[in-house]
Amino acid sequence: MSKTLVLHLFFIGLLLQSCTDQTEPLTQTDTIRLNQIGFYPYAPKIAIVAVETIGDFYLSPVGSEEKIFSGKLTGPQTSNLSGKQTMIADFSDFQQVGKFVLNVPGIGQSYPFEIKTKVHEGVATAALKSFYFQRMSTGLSEKYAGKWHRPLAHSDDQVMVHASAATKERPEGTIISSPGGWYDAGDYNKYVVNSSIAVGTLMSLYEDFPDYFQKLESDIPESGNGVPDLLDETRWNLLWMLTMQDPNDGGVYHKCTTAEFEGMVKPEEATAQRYVVQKSTAAALGFAASMAQTARVFGAFENEFPGFAEKCLEAAKAAWQWANENPNVIYDQQKMNEQFEPKVVTGDYGGNDLKDEKIWAATELYVTTRDDAYLQSVEFYPSENLTIQNWGDVRTMAYFTLLRYADKLSPTSLGILADLKKRYVAFADGLVEKTNQQAYLAPMENDVKNYVWGSTSVCANQGISLIYAYRLTGDKKYLNYALADLDYLLGRNATGYSFVTGFGNKTPLHIHHRPSESDGIDDPIPGLIAGGPNPGQQDRCPGYPNDLPDESYTDDVCSYASNEIAINWNAPLVYLAFAIDILKSEPPLKG
């Protein structure tokens, strides 16, 4: 063989080898599930491949095919909710800052994500600002609302006293003023019970991280006024809540509402008569709790809001007294409608067991006033097990407050606190015990009962509970599990959705939210969290893919059971996203 032919064959071999080494560009796929916002440099970084496969994965910078980190998929993991199997891509050891994609040959390429500090600050701030977009009795200017600006709607200065709420001093048909507040959810009504836990969660975030929020601005009209934007926004709703207390007896109306839900119309086109409806013990106790907390928080802003803290404390005490004099005034909408006209068919936020509301109110009043009588007036542990907080079970809100002020309380609370700390660690351990066996490695998956109406809020509230466990024990496993729940909300889940509007590549576009549906803008208002998978499918919307607990979600405006929004769902999202961002920017406590 000639020397020339040998060289020719050699170069052909090199060319073929070069072609063989080239990696075919991969197609973007949502089969790779991960937090679509991103990760912290020194925190866990997990992606889930939603099919059983074997092989390698690798990271590339966005826009490049360079392999800068590689690893092997592990698993399979079997879902206890669907029986489906998944694989894990763990790239926690990769700490480079930048924008990347994760590639799985034979499967595809992930959505792009960032690795940086404060990676969730944007989504957290948008989730907070979403409350501004829920304001009523004011116009939203283009300066602050952008393309979602709108005129004033629901001034609520001509609200009628419903027959169920009539008293001698305020007979049926009396006109009162009840302006302000936030639209509760996808509808145009306002509910005291739900408002109480929403503002309580936001103020708890401030109490836990006050220094951070002194500096944070969310681009609202009050920004720069010397008061943290988090508190300015919360105060908008608190001022409305104060109008819901009857000054004649201290009782609190359950809700401010139309008789029926209004249609999918713009806020300014929703003009049906609005009513304050029946006082209830639940409303009075939730109001008392949140107003006592308000008095404590806003006491530091007396110069900015003279007399506001004192007014709130007096309102809390009056509501507490009314609730003690009327301990079993249950809001039962069906029974109410059998007695009074017009019939009211909007959200009821009812409930027969009021022990949790009384524990929360007593605790907030105790911590604010340091009057032991409040704490001594309740059975602090009416059941053995602790629970994830929600509007119908607010007991854990009281426990958070006691843990927060554990070092500053009177000897009366010492026994309660010692017991609480033991119970709380056991509770947190139970929340995370089987997480590493789950398909998406999130504590949310550990219990099928978490998949209810507003399942995303269960996940976010669970994350808050784990953050308290971290701050109580210093064990960062709890913080990492809380982060796993945030990863779940932002894309690492069985639907592949980041459930927060405007944040992620696959995110809800057709939420059940009247302002977003009626404004003629393709994008929904950003920063709102959709309700999430709900196998109950109470709306009977036809778009659900199946009835599996963790997949029972559809991005359709008709799906109020899985795709509505609500202030008590967004509030824990705000807490979780900000708290994770703050704590992941601090050195770990231990572990």
Side-chain angles (χ1 to χ4, degrees):
M1 185 181 293
S2 70
K3 186 175 181 181
T4 302
L5 180 58
V6 170
L7 287 172
H8 184 66
L9 291 172
F10 174 74
F11 283 117
I12 289 175
L14 286 178
L15 180 62
L16 290 172
Q17 181 65 43
S18 176
C19 291
T20 302
D21 287 344
Q22 292 296 314
T23 303
E24 283 291 318
L26 296 174
T27 302
Q28 193 176 83
T29 175
D30 76 347
T31 302
I32 302 172
R33 311 280 168 78
L34 44 61
N35 182 326
Q36 295 171 30
I37 308 306
F39 305 90
Y40 301 97
Y42 303 105
K45 305 172 192 70
I46 302 290
I48 299 295
V49 181
V51 292
E52 184 182 1
T53 186
I54 58 173
D56 299 336
F57 68 89
Y58 63 94
L59 298 183
S60 300
V62 169
S64 169
E65 296 176 18
E66 179 187 3
K67 296 181 181 180
I68 57 175
F69 181 89
S70 61
K72 290 190 176 296
L73 297 175
T74 59
Q77 304 280 110
T78 302
S79 171
N80 67 313
L81 301 166
S82 68
K84 296 182 179 181
Q85 293 189 313
T86 62
M87 304 296 289
I88 301 169
D90 187 340
F91 52 106
S92 301
D93 290 339
F94 182 74
Q95 298 174 351
Q96 183 176 327
V97 172
K99 296 183 179 181
F100 308 95
V101 290
L102 185 142
N103 305 278
V104 181
I107 300 297
Q109 185 178 91
S110 75
Y111 297 128
F113 57 87
E114 285 192 272
I115 298 178
K116 65 178 184 179
T117 59
K118 296 189 179 299
V119 71
H120 294 110
E121 187 173 57
V123 68
T125 304
L128 173 59
K129 186 166 180 177
S130 74
F131 286 90
Y132 167 74
F133 288 107
Q134 291 292 96
R135 289 187 186 187
M136 63 175 73
S137 308
T138 184
L140 304 186
S141 72
E142 189 170 2
K143 178 179 179 181
Y144 299 104
K147 61 184 177 181
W148 296 281
H149 65 91
R150 56 176 168 81
L152 183 150
H154 295 105
S155 58
D156 281 349
D157 56 356
Q158 297 290 311
V159 175
M160 189 175 292
V161 175
H162 188 261
S164 64
T167 62
K168 179 181 178 181
E169 294 82 6
R170 287 182 167 182
E172 177 184 358
T174 300
I175 299 298
I176 66 170
S177 183
S178 187
W182 302 313
Y183 296 126
D184 175 74
D187 61 302
Y188 290 136
N189 301 312
K190 301 181 279 193
Y191 308 85
V192 169
V193 168
N194 214 36
S195 276
S196 296
I197 189 171
V199 299
T201 300
L202 294 176
M203 285 191 292
S204 293
L205 175 61
Y206 176 79
E207 287 194 282
D208 286 334
F209 306 101
D211 292 343
Y212 180 88
F213 288 101
Q214 293 293 336
K215 303 173 184 177
L216 180 91
E217 292 194 353
S218 56
D219 190 32
I220 58 176
E222 295 83 0
S223 294
N225 69 350
V227 177
D229 281 9
L230 174 61
L231 296 185
D232 274 323
E233 190 56 62
T234 305
R235 187 171 180 269
W236 184 270
N237 200 63
L238 289 164
L239 289 171
W240 161 70
M241 290 177 67
L242 286 168
T243 72
M244 293 293 284
Q245 184 172 48
D246 185 342
N248 298 292
D249 61 13
V252 179
Y253 302 113
H254 197 76
K255 57 182 175 178
C256 178
T257 179
T258 48
E260 299 179 354
F261 289 114
E262 301 213 59
M264 284 287 171
V265 298
K266 295 179 180 180
E268 63 269 25
E269 295 172 356
T271 58
Q273 178 62 54
R274 294 162 73 79
Y275 301 88
V276 288
V277 177
Q278 186 196 317
K279 297 168 190 171
S280 73
T281 308
L285 290 171
F287 176 96
S290 52
M291 288 298 162
Q293 186 180 18
T294 301
R296 188 168 68 239
V297 169
F298 278 85
F301 299 94
E302 179 63 22
N303 290 337
E304 291 80 4
F305 305 119
F308 180 63
E310 183 180 359
K311 179 179 182 179
C312 290
L313 183 57
E314 292 307 308
K317 291 178 177 179
W320 171 262
Q321 182 176 340
W322 186 93
N324 278 281
E325 294 170 354
N326 301 272
N328 295 301
V329 181
I330 304 298
Y331 186 79
D332 186 326
Q333 194 155 272
Q334 181 176 345
K335 287 185 178 180
M336 184 185 77
N337 286 337
E338 292 171 359
Q339 301 176 59
F340 303 108
E341 294 287 345
K343 291 179 172 56
V344 177
V345 296
T346 54
D348 58 9
Y349 292 104
N352 296 320
D353 188 347
L354 304 177
K355 295 186 185 73
D356 57 298
E357 286 94 342
K358 190 165 186 179
I359 292 168
W360 185 29
T363 300
E364 298 296 348
L365 280 160
Y366 160 68
V367 173
T368 299
T369 66
R370 306 302 165 92
D371 184 344
D372 292 346
Y374 289 112
L375 206 59
Q376 294 168 345
S377 69
V378 295
E379 179 187 0
F380 208 68
Y381 300 109
S383 63
E384 186 66 25
N385 297 323
L386 275 62
T387 55
I388 298 296
Q389 66 279 13
N390 61 75
W391 70 261
D393 186 354
V394 293
R395 184 163 47 111
T396 304
M397 297 293 288
Y399 301 158
F400 290 161
T401 295
L402 281 182
L403 291 173
R404 185 182 312 127
Y405 286 96
D407 297 333
K408 301 177 181 178
L409 301 180
S410 71
T412 302
S413 65
L414 294 181
I416 292 174
L417 276 167
D419 194 10
L420 174 59
K421 290 177 180 179
K422 292 177 185 177
R423 289 174 185 250
Y424 201 89
V425 172
F427 166 59
D429 286 340
L431 291 178
V432 304
E433 182 180 8
K434 298 179 180 179
T435 302
N436 293 341
Q437 303 170 26
Q438 304 307 333
Y440 293 88
L441 301 181
M444 172 67 180
E445 301 169 90
N446 286 332
D447 193 338
V448 68
K449 294 178 182 178
N450 292 334
Y451 290 88
V452 294
W453 201 323
S455 63
T456 54
S457 73
V458 177
C459 183
N461 277 313
Q462 182 184 71
I464 295 173
S465 294
L466 293 172
I467 285 170
Y468 274 90
Y470 166 65
R471 302 192 82 190
L472 175 62
T473 66
D475 189 337
K476 74 175 183 180
K477 75 175 183 181
Y478 299 115
L479 181 59
N480 287 337
Y481 281 126
L483 175 59
D485 272 335
L486 185 58
D487 287 340
Y488 171 95
L489 294 174
L490 295 174
R492 202 180 84 198
N493 58 65
T495 72
Y497 275 91
S498 166
F499 289 114
V500 182
T501 56
F503 286 85
N505 286 72
K506 183 179 179 182
T507 186
L509 294 174
H510 308 289
I511 52 174
H512 186 89
H513 181 237
R514 283 162 177 78
S516 291
E517 178 66 12
S518 63
D519 62 12
I521 300 169
D522 290 340
D523 301 329
I525 287 168
L528 295 167
I529 191 165
N534 174 15
Q537 298 183 9
Q538 293 88 344
D539 47 51
R540 301 296 177 256
C541 189
Y544 290 95
N546 53 55
D547 61 359
L548 295 173
D550 57 346
E551 296 182 21
S552 190
Y553 169 79
T554 180
D555 181 21
D556 193 317
V557 70
C558 75
S559 181
Y560 55 80
S562 80
N563 209 33
E564 192 171 11
I565 63 91
I567 57 173
N568 65 307
W569 303 345
N570 249 76
L573 170 65
V574 171
Y575 187 111
L576 180 61
F578 271 124
I580 290 286
D581 225 47
I582 294 165
L583 294 170
K584 282 297 180 183
S585 299
E586 296 177 352
L589 296 177
K590 78 171 188 180

